């Protein structure tokens, strides 16, 4: 399917009613392929710059500093970075909601975030010790999350509900291709993590160019921006589960599925090297194994994200696909748990891709339909992103505990499957979305 092959015109519920041209209007006109391409490329650039380090480069750098403590160093660095994202994503989302730039609300934060993250990646190439490495990865997280907050909020800003599954699927495709590009970068530099960081920074900057010029970002009139009161601003980050129960259940299900997924992927490099013993059994370097597994995963994610998102739009339903995809993700964890072989790793990657692709597209569309207020789309999606970021803080510590003290990779992946299945169960609690 091409990027311009999007659903047809959306019925306009506002015919005969006064129209508004402000940034807060509910979108009713379908977005075009060029706009979607810009969003896809931003997602691609962010994920290439993020997952190249996360999957391989940070692990190699940790081993460079202290091979005996590589797991602990990687857990420290990624955990601290994820802690930054817990704050950065909703904070930058709230800032973008209130931005009155003539270029729109989202564009300035995509640009500033890209510059910050790219500069930090370049500096990571020459980090002299673990402390500096940790600080710079935190800056990468801050910049990348400013971009994430803005580009995610652009979707409910511009895309009508009946088209969001399709656009969400294409955005997920961009994320997945970015993950694959990050793995390719890490493999091509062949252990030279410093060069890898430079290429990741270049990929990040290249990814934003089209969106900067073709965003059609609607400026927020200064008169529609609420007055700033610090206490009220801070209170706004709490979205009451009692008042907005569907939002709360959507947050919880995303948190559980993300936790299970991060528990599976955080030690992939070490799993292939130490549990599968890929070098000894197959003559394949673990870094190359990560590339192969990630490539297979990426292909299936690309297919199921596009197909799943479009299917949910045609069905007019989200929950059945979210539940099914969550269960498939859990199945992938069990394959890795009980088949720690190269064939098992490949099979697990394919199954994980099938489930996670559909999940990314459809769950994102579902979440955009339970957001409390148009004025706070960026902030509220940032709060949802805590459900993605908090697992990045918790999963490394949980994974380290399982690998070192609670039975190794078998028990780790079984626990990941159970947690993911709980996410599937709680989706049924959401009432306002079919």
């Amino acid at each position: 399917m091409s990027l311009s092959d999007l659903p047809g015109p959306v019925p306009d519920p506002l015919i005969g009613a006064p129209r508004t041209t402000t940034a807060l209007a509910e979108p009713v006109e379908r977005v075009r392929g060029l706009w979607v391409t810009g969003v896809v490329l931003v997602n691609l650039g962010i994920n290439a710059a993020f997952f190249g380090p996360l999957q391989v480069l940070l692990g190699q750098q940790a081993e460079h500093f202290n091979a005996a403590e590589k797991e602990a160093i990687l857990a420290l660095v990624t955990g601290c970075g994820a802690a930054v994202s817990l704050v950065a994503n909703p904070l930058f989302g709230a800032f973008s909601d209130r931005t009155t730039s003539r270029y729109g609300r989202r564009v300035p934060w995509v640009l500033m975030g890209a510059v910050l993250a790219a500069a930090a990646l370049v500096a990571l190439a020459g980090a002299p010790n673990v402390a500096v490495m940790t600080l710079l990865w935190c800056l990468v997280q801050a910049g990348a999350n400013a971009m994430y907050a803005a580009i995610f909020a652009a979707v409910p800003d511009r895309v009508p509900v009946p088209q969001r599954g399709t656009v969400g699927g294409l955005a997920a495709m961009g994320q997945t291709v970015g993950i694959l590009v990050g793995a390719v970068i890490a493999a091509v530099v062949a252990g030279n993590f410093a060069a890898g960081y430079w290429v990741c920074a270049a990929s990040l900057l290249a990814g934003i160019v089209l969106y900067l010029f073709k965003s059609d970002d609607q400026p927020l009139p200064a008169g529609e921006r609420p007055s700033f009161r610090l206490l009220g601003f801070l209170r706004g980050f709490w979205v009451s589960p009692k008042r907005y129960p569907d939002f709360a259940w959507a947050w919880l299900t995303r948190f559980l599925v993300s936790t299970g997924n991060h528990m599976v992927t955080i030690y992939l490099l070490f799993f292939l090297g130490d549990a599968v013993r890929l070098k000894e059994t197959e003559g394949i370097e673990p870094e190359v194994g990560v590339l192969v597994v990630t490539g297979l995963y990426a292909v299936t994610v690309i297919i199921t994200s596009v197909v799943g998102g479009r299917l949910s739009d045609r069905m007019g339903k989200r929950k059945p696909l979210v539940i099914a995809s969550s269960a498939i993700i859990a199945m992938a964890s069990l394959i890795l748990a009980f088949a720690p072989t190269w064939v098992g790793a490949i099979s697990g990657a394919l199954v994980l891709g099938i489930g996670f692709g559909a999940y990314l597209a459809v769950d994102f569309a579902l979440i955009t339909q339970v957001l409390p207020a148009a004025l706070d789309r960026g902030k509220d999606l940032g709060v949802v992103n805590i459900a993605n970021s908090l697992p990045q803080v918790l999963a490394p510590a949980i994974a380290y505990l399982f690998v070192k003290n609670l039975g190794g990779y078998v028990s780790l992946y079984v626990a990941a499957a159970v947690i993911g299945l709980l996410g599937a169960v709680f989706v049924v609690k959401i009432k306002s979305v079919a």
Side-chain angles (χ1 to χ4, degrees), residues 22 34 63 93 96 121 157 167 174 182-183 202 272 287 299 375 391 410 426:
T22 71
L34 193 62
E63 191 168 13
S96 71
L121 282 166
D157 282 350
V167 174
L272 293 177
E287 291 83 359
V299 170
L375 179 62
V410 173
F426 290 134

Side-chain angles (χ1 to χ4, degrees), residues 7 18 20 51 70 111 125 161 187 189 199 215 218 261 292 340-341 346 399 421 432:
T20 177
F51 281 98
K70 60 186 180 183
L111 177 60
V161 168
V189 298
V199 178
S215 69
Q218 179 70 45
N261 188 63
V292 172
T341 63
I346 290 174
L421 284 174
S432 64

